[in-house]
Amino acid sequence: FVPYHWLRTVLWGRKFNYVTTRTALAEIRRAGLEVERVIGMGFVSERLYGLLGRSLCFAVERRLAGTPLLQAFGVNQIYVCRLCESARTR
């Protein structure tokens, strides 16, 4: 598991203003939720939109989103959560 932003920081030495996976998971747990699955999106660079065209880039994004081995490399991470059992019994 190599998160996209961590890899980018290591390669280019710049930090970005993103929430880390660790921070996101801590906030999710603090809210009494548990993650059911994570969907990574944002695989195509903005620079390619002009070259490849918007519709082709969208088609590539739709195809790659939800691909298990690529999830960590999506620029955007969607966390699908549910209420923890312990939070339900309160």
Side-chain angles (χ1 to χ4, degrees):
F1 185 100
V2 180
Y4 170 81
H5 298 295
W6 177 86
L7 181 63
R8 198 166 163 179
T9 300
V10 168
L11 294 177
W12 289 283
R14 296 185 333 206
K15 297 220 179 225
F16 298 91
N17 190 20
Y18 295 106
V19 174
T20 64
T21 300
R22 179 179 290 157
T23 302
L25 293 175
E27 290 297 317
I28 288 167
R29 285 188 204 103
R30 193 171 72 79
L33 302 171
E34 59 188 357
V35 177
E36 286 188 340
R37 66 186 178 129
V38 179
I39 302 168
M41 299 175 65
F43 299 101
V44 180
S45 168
E46 291 177 28
R47 295 177 184 162
L48 291 177
Y49 274 65
L51 180 65
L52 300 177
R54 201 171 185 90
S55 57
L56 178 59
C57 288
F58 284 164
V60 169
E61 285 290 344
R62 280 192 301 273
R63 178 79 172 140
L64 295 178
T67 305
L69 296 176
L70 297 177
Q71 294 306 298
F73 294 99
V75 174
N76 304 302
Q77 302 288 307
I78 297 172
Y79 295 90
V80 179
C81 302
R82 68 174 174 213
L83 195 57
C84 289
E85 286 296 323
S86 59
R88 284 187 197 156
T89 58
R90 290 183 199 171

